[in-house]
Amino acid sequence: MLGSMHPLRRRSVLRNGVLGIASLGLLKPGTLHAGQQGRKKGAPRKRLAVIGAGASGIASAYFCDSAWQVDLFESRDKIGGHADTVSVTEGDRSYAVDIGAEFFHPNTHPLYWSFLAEIGARTDDPATSKVIEGPASLTIFDAGTGKARFGSDHALDDLPAALRFLTFTGEARKMTEPDAPWETPMGEWLDGLDIDDDYKRDILTPWLSSLTCGDTELVRTQSARAHLSSFAKTFPETIFEPVHTYNSTVGLEGYLRMLLDTCENTNVLTRAAVERLEERSGTWHVRTASGRHGPYDAVVVSAPPPVSKNFFTDLPGLGHIAEYLGAHEYHPTRLVIHRDPHYMPADKGYWSVQNAAADGRHCETSIWIGAYHGTQDLASRPSIFKSWAAHRATDPAEVLAERRFRHPLSTPRSLRAARDMMAHQGERNLYFAGSFTTITDLQESALYSGLKVAESLNPDGARLTSFKQRLADDDLLDTSYDIP
Ligand SMILES: Cc1cc2nc3c(=O)[nH]c(=O)nc-3n(C[C@H](O)[C@H](O)[C@H](O)COP(=O)(O)OP(=O)(O)OC[C@H]3O[C@@H](n4cnc5c(N)ncnc54)[C@H](O)[C@@H]3O)c2cc1C
């Protein structure tokens, strides 16, 4: 079982080939994507409703597809959830740009990394692989003057600052170990670090906040382990080793489309916001604006807690689930894709992949998309940026795409609620999948949650068996994102 120490028996298993190529663009609203409506001859009899077509809902559908007739309900007009890819043209080239989740790394995303190989998205041949490697450079600068406070590519110019950063990354890595406490808030953890206060105030706290809420006070309330787990293991142990990060040639949404393209028994309904659930005589119905769907033998809820808590308020005996979901805390943010360099450090020599602009209480990052596209020559790299822009004084000149998100705050309180809720997983044939059910907010943990659902609903499915064999080969079977 994932998250436990049971090795798989070695046997030869069929690996599922990927038939489709990921495509950008919208599904036809309210219509079906993969599979056909109604049951085909020989198709599974059991019916499963999956609510939310983000990474966790799609992973659940993908791994259950062989044994269940799946209806995947999505409120937006496209699939992907926080994996949301837009196409940006620069000169004669188009780039798949992720306005939401974007980066992954084998150390922080071991399951995801393996899974990309499993579905054929990651290969050793750069000509066919849909994974790009890029530098993971970082600059923290003053938003008002544009002056750099710290630049990872300039670390050796200021050795004491580099050593402080090294101390930080070493301590951060320890905090992501399985036995590290998850109830320690970031503020308490930072205060206890043996690093001088100015560095914590001017560099570490703004940067840490820029990775989620952008608020230097609020970030102190987050679980240190939950927050650090999303990136700390990407840092090497010395300042001399280069740091890499990875993203996708087809966008992270593109990977999810690849999964759906291989599903035979999954119907995707877009613009189908679920309003509530109904349970009668052991079966479930799902209510959307267009009517009542069902009956279903089981339901997987992967819509985020601020929405899904409303599914349960009127359901007898499930008030505790509404309460657990109601304990999750979020912070609204806004992301923009643009070409305006005024959110970047004033000195182009300090432009990094990640550029955190500290502005009093707030600090928001701009990702330089061009840093991992194009040649070594800085000037020839595309001027495409992705910026958090909820607290900025002015907007960029030319906004190409924009989206509002809610960042989970992963406080000790919300993690406790998630842990307690997951003790009820599977009761009354009701399952939960999503990063919100795990210790950290990543595509990795969303995938993990979908795998856990499949372990209950389709334990002998060929896809799960094949992938678990790969995980066993990679010594990853005991990977867990459960909250202890
Ligand atoms: C700006 C940003 C950047 C990020 N960067 C990274 C990164 O670089 N790397 C990384 O690994 N992770 C990153 N993350 C985190 C990662 O995106 C999430 O952990 C992951 O996508 C969560 O997947 P999920 O399936 O749990 O939820 P979601 O992706 O939120 O999916 C839930 C789905 O439910 C749908 N839904 C909502 N209400 C309803 C309803 N009533 N009926 C039907 N459907 C509904 C939503 O539209 C959505 O599609 C980032 C997140 C954000 C916001």
Side-chain angles (χ1 to χ4, degrees), residues 35-344:
Q36 298 294 317
Q37 198 165 28
R39 203 170 75 83
K40 284 179 291 183
K41 203 162 172 250
R45 288 189 171 278
K46 291 182 297 181
R47 295 190 68 194
L48 176 66
V50 178
I51 305 173
S56 62
I58 291 175
S60 304
Y62 173 82
F63 284 107
C64 291
D65 181 74
S66 64
W68 294 79
Q69 198 55 249
V70 182
D71 282 347
L72 177 53
F73 293 87
E74 170 53 48
S75 57
R76 299 182 74 222
D77 57 9
K78 66 190 286 204
I79 60 112
H82 286 182
D84 187 349
T85 308
V86 296
S87 179
V88 174
T89 305
E90 171 103 347
D92 56 1
R93 270 198 67 181
S94 287
Y95 300 92
V97 176
D98 279 306
I99 193 163
E102 177 172 13
F103 297 108
F104 50 90
H105 188 284
N107 293 352
T108 46
H109 296 66
L111 302 178
Y112 192 75
W113 186 255
S114 246
F115 188 56
L116 293 181
E118 176 80 0
I119 62 170
R122 183 172 67 79
T123 68
D124 291 336
D125 177 4
T128 57
S129 184
K130 294 178 173 53
V131 172
I132 319 173
E133 181 184 275
S137 52
L138 161 71
T139 296
I140 295 145
F141 67 103
D142 191 89
T145 62
K147 191 170 180 316
R149 296 179 183 177
F150 174 84
S152 61
D153 285 348
H154 300 260
L156 297 181
D157 300 352
D158 182 353
L159 214 50
L163 291 174
R164 285 183 204 113
F165 197 72
L166 202 60
T167 305
F168 165 77
T169 55
E171 292 300 321
R173 263 199 309 274
K174 283 187 212 156
M175 199 58 182
T176 64
E177 293 303 324
D179 57 351
W182 54 266
E183 288 180 292
T184 309
M186 180 63 85
E188 189 182 319
W189 180 76
L190 270 174
D191 292 347
L193 284 185
D194 188 16
I195 298 176
D196 67 70
D197 287 345
D198 291 354
Y199 190 80
K200 289 181 195 169
R201 187 194 58 228
D202 297 337
I203 308 289
L204 293 180
T205 308
W207 171 51
L208 287 169
S209 75
S210 78
L211 298 171
T212 55
C213 56
D215 183 316
T216 53
E217 292 295 320
L218 217 45
V219 73
R220 291 175 60 83
T221 66
Q222 293 190 239
S223 153
R225 177 168 159 195
H227 193 8
L228 297 169
S229 295
S230 64
F231 66 90
K233 283 192 176 144
T234 58
F235 289 107
E237 288 179 17
T238 74
I239 42 175
F240 304 108
E241 290 169 62
V243 192
H244 292 295
T245 185
Y246 298 84
N247 65 11
S248 166
T249 58
V250 294
L252 301 198
E253 181 190 327
Y255 293 151
L256 298 179
R257 288 182 182 278
M258 289 174 73
L259 301 187
L260 286 178
D261 283 349
T262 64
C263 288
E264 293 186 347
N265 299 302
T266 296
N267 301 318
V268 182
L269 293 95
T270 51
R271 288 194 190 160
V274 171
E275 292 164 355
R276 60 174 203 270
L277 293 173
E278 296 165 5
E279 188 197 24
R280 206 164 300 147
S281 314
T283 57
W284 289 92
H285 282 85
V286 167
R287 277 266 176 207
T288 66
S290 70
R292 191 165 175 261
H293 308 256
Y296 297 103
D297 301 287
V299 176
V300 178
V301 176
S302 73
V307 176
S308 54
K309 68 179 182 198
N310 301 318
F311 302 164
F312 298 97
T313 38
D314 297 334
L315 276 171
L318 289 173
H320 57 298
I321 298 290
E323 265 178 46
Y324 292 136
L325 292 168
H328 287 261
E329 294 159 70
Y330 287 81
H331 188 72
T333 192
R334 172 176 172 249
L335 271 285
V336 289
I337 308 289
H338 62 97
R339 298 185 204 278
D340 187 345
H342 95 259
Y343 282 179
M344 296 292 281

